[in-house]
Amino acid sequence: QVQFAESGGGLVHSGGSLRLSCAASGRIRSIYTMGWYRQVPGKERELVASITGGGRTNYADSVKGRLTISRDNAKNTVTLQMNSLKPEDTAVYYCYCNVPPTYWGQGTQVTVSS
């Protein structure tokens, strides 16, 4: 019902930047919240950042001031600009949208080397 096109993951040195993008498509009339979770092996998936259709944002404390989420409602896209990356940011990042229900992207690997 909802498909995602994710892009932008990869390998970067500590202090570097990456930009993740996600476009949702399918039978969507409107999306309440879009955002990103991340997960490392052996740990639970954690919220990184989210944004509502009205532009209200929410960030994990560990990423505040370094990551910025933005959204294009007309295109159903969400972008995560990641600056000053740290090795602890290494994870698989999953795009999601809450229509509701919640749909998940396939994930993109982000690796930050020290």
Side-chain angles (χ1 to χ4, degrees):
Q1 294 128 354
V2 176
Q3 295 81 42
F4 292 90
E6 297 179 351
S7 63
L11 172 65
V12 65
H13 290 300
S14 180
S17 298
L18 284 174
R19 186 181 180 90
L20 303 183
S21 294
C22 174
S25 61
R27 301 182 66 178
I28 304 171
R29 284 198 299 176
S30 63
I31 301 174
Y32 176 60
T33 304
M34 299 185 77
W36 299 86
Y37 275 70
R38 66 187 180 187
Q39 188 170 25
V40 297
K43 293 188 177 182
E44 292 187 357
R45 194 172 292 189
E46 65 170 354
L47 176 68
V48 178
S50 65
I51 184 168
T52 67
R56 186 171 70 248
T57 58
N58 182 40
Y59 294 93
D61 288 341
S62 61
V63 307
K64 286 180 179 177
R66 300 186 298 116
L67 277 57
T68 303
I69 191 169
S70 59
R71 174 174 172 174
D72 184 331
N73 292 332
K75 297 180 179 179
N76 289 331
T77 60
V78 62
T79 299
L80 187 67
Q81 177 65 42
M82 304 190 293
N83 298 328
S84 302
L85 284 164
K86 304 175 181 180
E88 50 263 44
D89 294 317
T90 296
V92 177
Y93 284 69
Y94 295 91
C95 173
Y96 80 95
C97 70
N98 180 24
V99 179
T102 299
Y103 297 92
W104 295 91
Q106 74 278 11
T108 184
Q109 178 69 46
V110 170
T111 303
V112 184
S113 63
S114 57

